[in-house]
Amino acid sequence: MITLSIIKADTGGFVGHSAVHPDMMAEARREMMRAIDSGLLIDGHVDSCGDDISLIMTHTYGPDADLIHSFAWDTFQATTHIAKELGLYGAGQDLLSDAFSGNLRGMGPGYAELEFGERPSEPVICFLADKTEPGAWNLPLYKMFADPFNTAGLIIDQKMHAGFTFEVYDLYKEKRIDFDCPADLYEMLMYIGAPARYVIHSVRSKTLTETAAATSTQRLSLIAGKYVGKDDPVMIVRCQSGLPAVGEVLEPFTFAFGVAGCMRGSHHAPLMPVSSGHAHPSRFDGPPRVVALGFQIHDGKLIGPRDLFADPAFDRARQQASEAMDYFRRHGPFEPHRLPLEDLEYTTMTVLTKKLANRWTPITTELTTAAASRS
């Protein structure tokens, strides 16, 4: 069995929150080569989206492996050291603990991991996003694995016709549920349409009995108890041979759908599919970006990547994102551009609530006073 892991963290932004400094990328690549040479990893690739470093790795230790997570933690500590030396913004901001404690659960870095038996041809797509949250994957995963208007294979491919099982997390109550689709489709949509709380963690083929997709579901604000940066999720999707084709997996991103994130993690904005070279949000810390890196995995080796959004077929989505960004920005501090108050719990909203608590008075008091003055 092969395990494909993507582990990511923001350990310092260059400039502001827009990118990763080349020296940090070089350090991460040196650490990756050492891990491959030592036999810890079969193969690895280092990439970035916005100010997040992503470690894409193959190994045989399975998900949540101490050795793999420890390696990633040490690598992010090394890149944090460089960020501090260079005075970069938010150095080490995603590292919420002083010491590693077995695996990365609850420690800040996000990760998505898939363990599988390698097929004769194993195409996978690693999605990296910046300036948004884990729920950003809900809509595209629904389109890929449950919408026949997006994925013709749901009708045409006999192996896909039975549908898929979606594992959904409730991030607030730390509970999970499986939705058997298409039978449970309407019930599932009621929940995943609220992506701030309910997120798709994995998708499994009912015919192949194999996991087809996995996402990172870590919410930094829920871990830290305060806003320390957006979650910047990652996702792995396996393709072809009873699973959605590469083109079907990419198709949802021809629509620049709205996500939460952008400036200070507190605004709705369109998700823009971009090539790796354009994955550097700047305007109002946005628009949020997503990169698609395609690999063929063979004997655990990562053949690639192919920069799949470096394609003029996505130009209209990018233009749509720019136009949608104009529309949202005209709202300024008003909803629906700004997130609703319940999603601003970990910003200054809590401080303002306490500060102004004594200045709020019952409306009935005002009415009684006014009536008394008239009489």
Side-chain angles (χ1 to χ4, degrees), residues 133-215:
E133 63 186 7
W137 303 132
N138 284 8
L139 187 149
L141 282 171
Y142 155 71
K143 300 285 283 183
M144 292 173 204
F145 292 98
D147 183 1
F149 279 78
N150 180 91
T151 301
L154 291 167
I155 297 172
I156 296 172
D157 189 335
Q158 186 176 356
K159 294 179 181 178
M160 296 176 64
H161 205 72
F164 294 84
T165 300
F166 290 72
E167 181 187 22
V168 175
Y169 280 9
D170 179 343
L171 298 184
Y172 289 8
K173 294 190 175 181
E174 296 187 340
K175 293 184 176 182
R176 60 171 295 282
I177 187 173
D178 288 337
F179 289 104
D180 183 356
C181 292
D184 293 338
L185 184 57
Y186 294 165
E187 289 86 349
M188 183 179 75
L189 286 170
M190 178 62 76
Y191 291 95
I192 66 170
R197 175 171 176 174
Y198 300 100
V199 301
I200 299 171
H201 178 62
S202 67
V203 182
R204 188 171 180 83
S205 166
K206 290 194 285 184
T207 299
L208 303 178
T209 65
E210 292 191 23
T211 303
T215 73

Side-chain angles (χ1 to χ4, degrees), residues 25-180:
M25 293 295 290
E27 177 64 17
R29 290 185 177 116
R30 282 191 293 269
E31 293 294 331
M32 184 74 78
M33 288 307 302
R34 290 190 193 105
I36 294 170
D37 292 342
S38 72
L40 176 67
L41 303 176
I42 300 173
D43 204 357
H45 173 78
V46 178
D47 222 299
S48 66
C49 185
D51 53 0
D52 290 273
I53 299 172
S54 287
L55 309 176
I56 302 172
M57 304 167 283
T58 55
H59 55 90
T60 58
Y61 294 96
D64 288 311
D66 293 3
L67 287 172
I68 302 302
H69 285 207
S70 177
F71 159 71
W73 180 264
D74 291 344
T75 299
F76 294 142
Q77 291 278 18
T79 58
T80 294
H81 178 72
I82 292 174
K84 289 179 177 179
E85 285 187 333
L86 297 173
L88 301 184
Y89 191 77
Q93 74 168 34
D94 281 5
L95 307 185
L96 304 182
S97 177
D98 294 329
F100 183 73
S101 59
N103 66 44
L104 292 173
R105 194 177 304 277
M107 298 188 68
Y111 58 94
E113 298 182 294
L114 260 182
E115 185 178 36
F116 52 88
E118 195 178 293
R119 298 172 293 175
S121 180
E122 189 65 60
V124 300
I125 302 177
C126 297
F127 291 93
L128 319 176
D130 187 45
K131 303 298 181 287
T132 186
E133 63 186 7
W137 303 132
N138 284 8
L139 187 149
L141 282 171
Y142 155 71
K143 300 285 283 183
M144 292 173 204
F145 292 98
D147 183 1
F149 279 78
N150 180 91
T151 301
L154 291 167
I155 297 172
I156 296 172
D157 189 335
Q158 186 176 356
K159 294 179 181 178
M160 296 176 64
H161 205 72
F164 294 84
T165 300
F166 290 72
E167 181 187 22
V168 175
Y169 280 9
D170 179 343
L171 298 184
Y172 289 8
K173 294 190 175 181
E174 296 187 340
K175 293 184 176 182
R176 60 171 295 282
I177 187 173
D178 288 337
F179 289 104
D180 183 356

Side-chain angles (χ1 to χ4, degrees), residues 203-250:
V203 182
R204 188 171 180 83
S205 166
K206 290 194 285 184
T207 299
L208 303 178
T209 65
E210 292 191 23
T211 303
T215 73
S216 60
T217 55
Q218 294 78 22
R219 285 286 304 272
L220 282 171
S221 60
L222 296 180
I223 297 170
K226 61 181 179 179
Y227 180 72
V228 292
K230 214 56 186 169
D231 313 290
D232 307 330
V234 293
M235 174 171 66
I236 301 167
V237 182
R238 299 170 69 198
C239 309
Q240 309 288 157
S241 303
L243 303 175
V246 168
E248 292 168 332
V249 170
L250 298 176

Side-chain angles (χ1 to χ4, degrees), residues 17-18 49-50 129-132 232 256-263 267-274 278-291 317-329 337:
H17 287 295
S18 60
C49 185
D130 187 45
K131 303 298 181 287
T132 186
D232 307 330
F257 55 91
V259 296
C262 206
M263 176 59 70
H267 295 80
H268 286 117
L271 186 63
M272 179 184 282
V274 295
H278 289 156
H280 309 300
S282 55
R283 180 191 177 183
F284 205 64
D285 276 2
R289 306 296 163 93
V290 57
V291 169
R318 292 186 268 268
Q319 180 61 32
Q320 184 183 57
S322 294
E323 292 173 359
M325 191 69 176
D326 286 340
Y327 170 80
F328 276 121
R329 286 300 301 130
H337 184 29

